């Protein structure tokens, strides 16, 4: 994908190569990459395991050297940015959690102010406000006096995000920020990050395996595939077929109509469904799960969904017989035990 480059954006990658050093030599594992992030954008980084997502994020955060090309942060080459300047520019949340230390949650969040307080750690009013805001945003005030050994992995993740917010940098980079969280907490954290881009102008880059949620909150996706990054809105990547590259040779497929992921299945049997649209959709999900496809053409079996006396019934019609079911579960089990095994119904 061709991109117009303006090096004064918060993040610009110009033919970037990433990798590691081995026996004194640089070894590239991915690139060259051309990609950009604008101020106030929330960008989700996706790709298969082992492709280099964490390496890319660590390189952008200045934690390991690039192996080729250029990185510009706010228009400045990363090679010209000192460690102190980086601490004021980028905060980074890794997948590692704090373990094995009797350190309290409040102390971890306070560490986010280190670039401003130095080793003396004296907090002024600005520091206290930044810490309070971080605690408020992440809703962890009830954890402040607990040790990190006393809280769950998901709670630790929120604490580390709070520490990054307390650092109050214009750019926030997060590696799998929702990895240990339950579904409601995932939405909560990503909504928080999204709000920071809208209300505070933060620029946020995060990696995730949860593509469904990323598509709901990200302004843009960076999709790592092959040796290049495809970038664009989730809808753009659907239109240009980039998502298909991610799922090549995979049992998973993405349905652009329902905007959901599902196992790829070949249906040996097909059935027709009529009735209420919502119930048809739910019934179709159950049929496909057991290996029965849905068709609008003539089929050996028909499911008629009816509402009788404010109750729903599924009428299975075929071969001169009719069976009535009062739940999708009973219908699915019956078909699985009979229709799929070629038993006459």
């Amino acid at each position: 994908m061709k991109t117009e480059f303006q090096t004064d954006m918060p993040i610009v990658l110009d033919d970037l190569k990433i990798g590691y050093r081995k026996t004194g030599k640089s070894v590239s594992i991915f690139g060259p990459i051309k990609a950009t992030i604008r101020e106030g954008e929330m960008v989700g980084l996706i790709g298969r395991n082992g492709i280099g997502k964490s390496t890319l994020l660590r390189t952008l955060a200045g934690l390991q050297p690039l192996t080729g090309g250029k990185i510009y942060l706010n228009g400045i080459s990363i090679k010209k940015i000192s460690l102190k300047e980086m601490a004021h520019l980028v905060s980074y949340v890794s997948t590692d959690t704090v373990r094995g230390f009797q350190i309290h949650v409040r102390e971890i969040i306070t560490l986010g102010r280190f670039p401003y307080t130095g080793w003396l750690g004296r907090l002024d009013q600005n520091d206290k406000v930044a810490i309070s805001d971080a605690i408020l945003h992440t809703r962890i005030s009830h954890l402040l006096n607990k040790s990190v050994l006393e809280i769950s992995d998901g709670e630790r993740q929120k604490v580390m995000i709070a520490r990054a917010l307390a650092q109050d940098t214009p750019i926030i980079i997060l590696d799998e920020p929702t990895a240990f969280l339950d579904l409601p907490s995932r939405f909560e954290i990503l909504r928080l990050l999204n709000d920071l881009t809208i209300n505070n102008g933060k620029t946020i880059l995060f990696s995730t395996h949860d593509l469904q949620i990323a598509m709901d909150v990200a302004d843009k996706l960076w999709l790592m595939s092959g040796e290049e990054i495809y970038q664009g809105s989730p809808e753009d990547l659907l239109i240009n077929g980039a998502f298909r590259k991610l799922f090549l040779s995979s049992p998973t497929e993405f349905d652009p109509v329902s905007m959901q992921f599902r196992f790829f299945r070949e249906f040996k049997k097909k059935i027709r469904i009529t009735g209420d649209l919502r119930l048809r959709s739910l019934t179709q999900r159950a049929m496909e799960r057991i290996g029965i496809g849905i068709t609008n053409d003539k089929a050996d079996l028909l499911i008629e969904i009816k509402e009788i006396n404010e109750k729903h019934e599924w009428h299975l019609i075929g071969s001169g017989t009719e069976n009535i079911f009062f739940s999708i579960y009973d219908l699915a089990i019956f078909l699985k035990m009979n229709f799929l095994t070629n038993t006459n119904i």
Side-chain angles (χ1 to χ4, degrees):
M1 179 183 294
K2 293 184 178 180
T3 307
E4 294 290 331
F5 276 83
Q6 299 172 250
T7 58
D8 59 345
M9 291 184 188
I11 299 178
V12 174
L13 315 183
D14 188 4
D15 288 333
L16 172 67
K17 293 183 179 181
I18 58 171
Y20 56 92
R21 294 189 65 81
K22 183 176 182 180
T23 62
K25 295 181 179 180
S26 293
V27 179
S28 296
I29 62 170
F30 195 94
I33 307 166
K34 282 187 177 290
T36 61
I37 302 179
R38 298 177 183 275
E39 182 178 354
E41 274 193 324
M42 185 170 180
V43 176
L45 176 65
I46 59 176
R48 287 179 173 256
N49 284 341
I51 199 168
K53 297 189 297 296
S54 295
T55 301
L56 173 57
L57 296 183
R58 288 177 56 81
T59 303
L60 291 178
L63 299 175
Q64 63 186 79
L66 50 87
T67 58
K70 299 175 182 177
I71 299 173
Y72 296 95
L73 301 178
N74 279 358
I76 305 171
S77 170
I78 196 171
K79 293 181 178 180
K80 297 181 180 180
I81 301 175
S82 68
L83 290 177
K84 183 177 180 180
E85 291 170 332
M86 279 293 290
H88 285 81
L89 183 60
V90 178
S91 53
Y92 173 72
V93 179
S94 73
T95 52
D96 299 326
T97 56
V98 179
R99 298 176 185 272
F101 296 97
Q102 196 69 25
I103 183 171
H104 285 80
V105 166
R106 187 187 297 274
E107 295 173 293
I108 293 176
I109 300 170
T110 301
L111 288 174
R113 299 304 296 170
F114 173 76
Y116 308 92
T117 64
W119 289 109
L120 294 177
R122 292 175 180 169
L123 303 176
D124 62 19
Q125 188 59 31
N126 290 334
D127 298 318
K128 293 176 182 177
V129 168
I131 292 170
S132 295
D133 285 347
I135 294 168
L136 180 65
H137 281 312
T138 49
R139 301 180 183 180
I140 56 171
S141 59
H142 61 292
L143 301 176
L144 295 179
N145 295 319
K146 291 187 176 183
S147 159
V148 292
L149 301 179
E150 299 175 297
I151 62 178
S152 69
D153 284 341
E155 289 171 331
R156 288 193 196 100
Q157 192 76 339
K158 286 187 179 181
V159 170
M160 299 312 293
I161 291 173
R163 181 200 57 75
L165 296 184
Q167 194 173 333
D168 194 23
T169 58
I171 300 172
I172 303 175
I173 296 174
L174 308 99
D175 194 358
E176 293 284 346
T178 61
F180 302 108
L181 304 181
D182 57 26
L183 188 60
S185 295
R186 289 181 214 169
F187 278 102
E188 181 184 338
I189 287 296
L190 288 179
R191 183 178 61 186
L192 159 65
L193 297 175
N194 187 256
D195 287 346
L196 289 172
T197 65
I198 295 171
N199 300 322
N200 300 78
K202 301 288 188 183
T203 300
I204 294 178
L205 171 63
F206 69 101
S207 66
T208 183
H209 284 96
D210 201 332
L211 185 50
Q212 195 72 58
I213 293 180
M215 293 180 69
D216 286 339
V217 299
D219 300 300
K220 180 195 290 185
L221 294 179
W222 282 2
L223 191 160
M224 297 179 72
S225 180
E227 289 194 356
E228 61 181 307
I229 280 184
Y230 298 86
Q231 63 174 340
S233 73
E235 295 76 19
D236 289 329
L237 297 187
L238 280 173
I239 292 170
N240 66 25
F243 276 133
R244 286 198 296 272
K245 300 178 185 296
L246 187 62
F247 296 108
L248 288 176
S249 304
S250 167
T252 308
E253 63 178 351
F254 185 80
D255 183 353
V257 177
S258 66
M259 297 286 283
Q260 293 187 351
F261 298 92
R262 34 196 263 180
F263 288 112
F264 175 78
R265 294 183 174 95
E266 292 185 4
F267 302 114
K268 297 180 179 179
K269 303 272 190 176
K270 291 193 175 181
I271 202 168
R272 191 161 66 93
I273 304 175
T274 63
D276 177 83
L277 180 60
R278 183 181 69 89
L279 293 178
R280 271 172 28 209
S281 177
L282 293 173
T283 305
Q284 178 174 342
R285 284 171 56 93
M287 295 301 98
E288 292 179 347
R289 188 166 59 244
I290 64 172
I292 297 175
I294 307 303
T295 180
N296 293 322
D297 299 327
K298 185 177 179 180
D300 293 331
L301 287 180
L302 167 67
I303 298 173
E304 287 186 352
I305 304 172
K306 300 179 180 182
E307 184 173 341
I308 300 175
N309 297 327
E310 298 184 351
K311 293 184 178 180
H312 296 111
E313 297 180 358
W314 284 260
H315 291 241
L316 180 62
I317 302 168
S319 302
T321 63
E322 181 173 347
N323 294 276
I324 301 175
F325 302 90
F326 301 97
S327 72
I328 293 177
Y329 172 79
D330 288 336
L331 169 66
I333 290 298
F334 180 82
L335 288 170
K336 188 173 184 178
M337 297 297 127
N338 294 279
F339 187 48
L340 290 178
T341 57
N342 294 316
T343 302
N344 292 327
I345 295 178

